Amino acid sequence: MSGDQHRPIGHQYALAMIDGGADGVRKLATVAGTQLTMDAFLRVHDEEPVPAFLHSALCAMSLPTKRPKDDTLPIVREDGKYALAINPRPVLQNIDGKSVMKSLGVPYGAYPRVALIYLLSQAVMKRSRDVYLGRNFTEWMRRLGYQTVSYGPRGTANLMREQVDRLLACEWQIRWDGTEAEDNAFAVRDVKISNEYAGSLDKNGAFAREIRMSEVFYSHLVDHAVPLNEVAIRELKGTPTALDLYTYLAYRLPRIASDKGQVISWDQLAKHLGNEADSKRFRQTVRETMQLVSAVYPNANVDLSGRKVVLHPSPAPMERKLVGPHLRLVGPDTPKTAPRSSVRVAATPAKSSEPVFAFPAGSLSYGEREQTFRSIALTKGHPWSVDDMANAFRKGFPDIKKPRTDAEWLRVWEAFVIRYAERRAKRSDD
């Protein structure tokens, strides 16, 4: 057997998929994987990617994974040009019939991470600082991927509500040391944006249906949004370290320019992930976590086996096809650099012969090529205006000017149209 067994399980699944399809993946999982990683890999592979976004500063610096010893103290993170401070501000509460100012504490764990990704994704996709949450808390949680929503003291709804309350009550400050004068000091001071937020736990009760992001934060978010795959987020939603590792790699790997990759220390990675565990335990945790992360992001080319962490240039998570030299069957013509766009999956590397285009400009009502996009909009986005959807897509989709194959454009366009129609329908029902 080759050295493939030393790769993260997601990489092994990807090679098995290239060689033997889903049956090959299932066969491998019986001896080398787990039901959890296999199911995650197959679901992400089978479903069309759904765009999601997170601010680059929040990809590089994480919330606490566990409740801090004193959760009323501010959390401060630093990462090169970024510095992040999360300050839990006191809010007015009714305790034993008296109104008192009390801090809810900083958010921690998986719930606020999932909620934050959802809120920021909606803002980027809608190109609006106003984010619609839903009719009630149950509906909102199901949209986040929690199919079973329980309302006991330790139920999922109560745990999510507590963390979202903490998330929205905090003051956020991000310092960005950029190259331009206006970037040298960037502060976000109002992420809670809605004094009416209550997080009702009545199954049919209403809660704050919209929140409004501060204009400064929203403007910076649009310019520094990192694309993620919502399908992958759903698979990782119960594990905060997996969410952190996934978002960190999604931010860093596509930006690495050197063919040799980038080397960082384990201490640096721990700092990025906000982890204070001892080095040996941290390494073990990250290596175990990478098994699940690699299942949903097999294109992530990372070497965690040595005394240093080696990050290699890799496609972004929205790239659905299995690409990159670490996912190719071993052969003499294996390329030395990771491709930046879709390539034809094959046993031996080959460049795609498919032409690339820009997304159609102007109305989709005219032109032979435009008709395919229009057909998707009419069938998946009915009854909403095709050209309104196209304009919203042009405004909200990152790298809209980057040429892609029509197959790629149609895939992300269809996912956008479906989400657009769902959001508009929910607003109409409101």
Coordinates of all heavy atoms in Angstrom, one line a residue, residues 53-61 79 81-82 120 174 176 220-221 223-226 247-248 251 255:
F53 N -19.9 33.4 4.0 CA -18.8 34.3 4.1 C -18.5 34.6 5.6 O -19.4 34.6 6.4 CB -19.1 35.6 3.4 CG -19.4 35.5 1.9 CD1 -20.7 35.3 1.5 CD2 -18.4 35.4 1.0 CE1 -21.0 35.1 0.1 CE2 -18.6 35.2 -0.3 CZ -19.9 35.1 -0.8
L54 N -17.3 35.0 5.8 CA -16.8 35.4 7.2 C -15.8 36.5 7.0 O -15.0 36.4 6.0 CB -16.3 34.2 8.0 CG -15.9 34.5 9.4 CD1 -17.2 34.9 10.2 CD2 -15.3 33.2 10.1
H55 N -15.8 37.5 7.8 CA -14.7 38.5 7.7 C -13.4 37.9 7.9 O -13.2 37.0 8.8 CB -15.0 39.6 8.8 CG -14.2 40.8 8.7 ND1 -12.9 40.9 8.8 CD2 -14.6 42.1 8.3 CE1 -12.4 42.1 8.6 NE2 -13.5 42.9 8.3
S56 N -12.4 38.3 7.1 CA -11.1 37.8 7.2 C -10.4 37.8 8.6 O -9.7 36.9 9.0 CB -10.1 38.4 6.2 OG -10.1 39.8 6.4
A57 N -10.7 38.9 9.3 CA -10.2 39.0 10.7 C -10.7 37.9 11.6 O -10.0 37.4 12.4 CB -10.5 40.4 11.3
L58 N -12.0 37.5 11.4 CA -12.6 36.5 12.2 C -12.2 35.1 11.7 O -12.3 34.1 12.5 CB -14.1 36.6 12.2 CG -14.6 38.0 12.8 CD1 -16.1 38.1 12.6 CD2 -14.2 38.1 14.2
C59 N -11.6 35.0 10.5 CA -11.0 33.7 10.1 C -9.7 33.5 10.7 O -9.2 32.4 11.0 CB -10.9 33.7 8.6 SG -12.4 33.6 7.6
A60 N -9.0 34.7 10.9 CA -7.6 34.6 11.4 C -7.5 34.6 12.9 O -6.5 34.1 13.5 CB -6.8 35.8 10.9
M61 N -8.6 35.0 13.5 CA -8.6 35.0 15.0 C -10.0 34.5 15.5 O -11.0 34.9 15.0 CB -8.4 36.5 15.5 CG -7.1 37.0 15.1 SD -6.9 38.8 15.5 CE -8.0 39.5 14.3
D79 N -3.1 39.0 15.3 CA -2.6 38.2 14.2 C -2.0 39.1 13.1 O -2.7 39.6 12.2 CB -3.7 37.3 13.6 CG -3.2 36.6 12.4 OD1 -2.1 36.1 12.4 OD2 -3.9 36.5 11.4
K81 N -1.3 41.9 11.0 CA -1.9 43.2 10.8 C -3.3 43.4 11.5 O -3.8 44.5 11.5 CB -2.1 43.5 9.3 CG -2.9 42.5 8.6 CD -2.9 42.7 7.1 CE -3.6 41.6 6.3 NZ -3.5 41.8 4.8
Y82 N -3.8 42.3 12.0 CA -5.1 42.4 12.7 C -5.0 42.4 14.2 O -4.1 41.7 14.7 CB -6.0 41.2 12.3 CG -6.7 41.3 11.0 CD1 -6.6 40.2 10.1 CD2 -7.4 42.4 10.6 CE1 -7.2 40.2 8.9 CE2 -8.0 42.4 9.4 CZ -8.0 41.3 8.5 OH -8.6 41.4 7.3
L120 N -23.2 37.3 8.7 CA -22.3 38.0 7.8 C -22.5 37.5 6.3 O -22.4 38.3 5.4 CB -20.8 37.7 8.2 CG -20.4 38.2 9.6 CD1 -18.9 38.2 9.7 CD2 -21.0 39.6 9.9
I174 N -11.9 46.0 15.8 CA -10.9 45.4 15.0 C -9.9 46.5 14.5 O -10.3 47.5 14.0 CB -11.5 44.7 13.7 CG1 -12.5 43.6 14.1 CG2 -10.4 44.2 12.8 CD1 -13.2 43.0 12.9
W176 N -6.9 47.3 12.1 CA -6.4 46.8 10.8 C -5.3 47.7 10.4 O -5.4 48.8 10.1 CB -7.5 46.8 9.8 CG -7.1 46.8 8.3 CD1 -6.8 47.8 7.5 CD2 -7.0 45.6 7.5 NE1 -6.5 47.4 6.3 CE2 -6.6 46.0 6.2 CE3 -7.1 44.2 7.8 CZ2 -6.3 45.1 5.2 CZ3 -6.8 43.4 6.8 CH2 -6.5 43.8 5.5
H220 N -16.4 47.3 5.6 CA -15.2 46.6 5.7 C -15.4 45.1 5.4 O -14.6 44.5 4.8 CB -14.6 46.8 7.0 CG -13.1 46.6 7.1 ND1 -12.5 45.4 7.5 CD2 -12.1 47.4 6.7 CE1 -11.2 45.5 7.4 NE2 -10.9 46.7 6.9
L221 N -16.6 44.6 5.8 CA -16.9 43.2 5.6 C -17.0 42.9 4.1 O -16.4 41.9 3.6 CB -18.2 42.9 6.2 CG -18.9 41.5 5.8 CD1 -18.0 40.4 6.3 CD2 -20.3 41.4 6.4
D223 N -15.5 44.2 1.7 CA -14.2 44.3 1.0 C -13.3 43.1 1.5 O -12.3 42.8 0.9 CB -13.5 45.6 1.3 CG -14.1 46.7 0.6 OD1 -14.8 46.5 -0.4 OD2 -14.0 47.9 1.1
H224 N -13.6 42.5 2.7 CA -12.7 41.5 3.2 C -13.5 40.2 3.6 O -13.1 39.5 4.6 CB -12.0 42.1 4.5 CG -11.1 43.2 4.2 ND1 -11.6 44.5 4.2 CD2 -9.8 43.3 3.8 CE1 -10.6 45.4 3.9 NE2 -9.5 44.7 3.7
A225 N -14.5 39.9 2.8 CA -15.3 38.7 3.1 C -14.5 37.5 2.5 O -14.1 37.5 1.3 CB -16.6 38.8 2.4
V226 N -14.4 36.4 3.2 CA -13.7 35.2 2.8 C -14.8 34.2 2.4 O -15.7 33.9 3.2 CB -12.8 34.6 3.9 CG1 -12.3 33.3 3.5 CG2 -11.7 35.6 4.3
T247 N -12.2 27.6 8.7 CA -12.3 29.0 8.3 C -10.9 29.6 8.1 O -10.6 30.4 7.3 CB -13.1 29.9 9.2 OG1 -12.7 29.7 10.6 CG2 -14.6 29.5 9.2
Y248 N -9.9 29.2 9.0 CA -8.6 29.7 8.9 C -7.9 29.2 7.7 O -7.3 30.0 6.9 CB -7.8 29.2 10.2 CG -6.3 29.5 10.1 CD1 -5.9 30.8 10.2 CD2 -5.4 28.5 9.8 CE1 -4.5 31.1 10.1 CE2 -4.0 28.8 9.8 CZ -3.6 30.1 9.9 OH -2.2 30.4 9.8
Y251 N -9.2 30.9 4.6 CA -8.6 32.3 4.5 C -7.2 32.3 4.0 O -6.8 33.0 3.1 CB -8.7 33.0 5.8 CG -7.9 34.2 6.0 CD1 -8.1 35.3 5.1 CD2 -7.0 34.3 7.0 CE1 -7.3 36.5 5.3 CE2 -6.2 35.5 7.2 CZ -6.4 36.6 6.3 OH -5.6 37.7 6.5
R255 N -4.5 32.2 -0.5 CA -3.7 33.4 -0.6 C -2.2 33.2 -0.6 O -1.4 34.1 -0.7 CB -4.0 34.4 0.5 CG -5.4 35.0 0.4 CD -6.0 35.6 1.7 NE -7.2 36.2 1.5 CZ -8.4 35.6 1.3 NH1 -8.4 34.3 1.4 NH2 -9.5 36.2 1.1

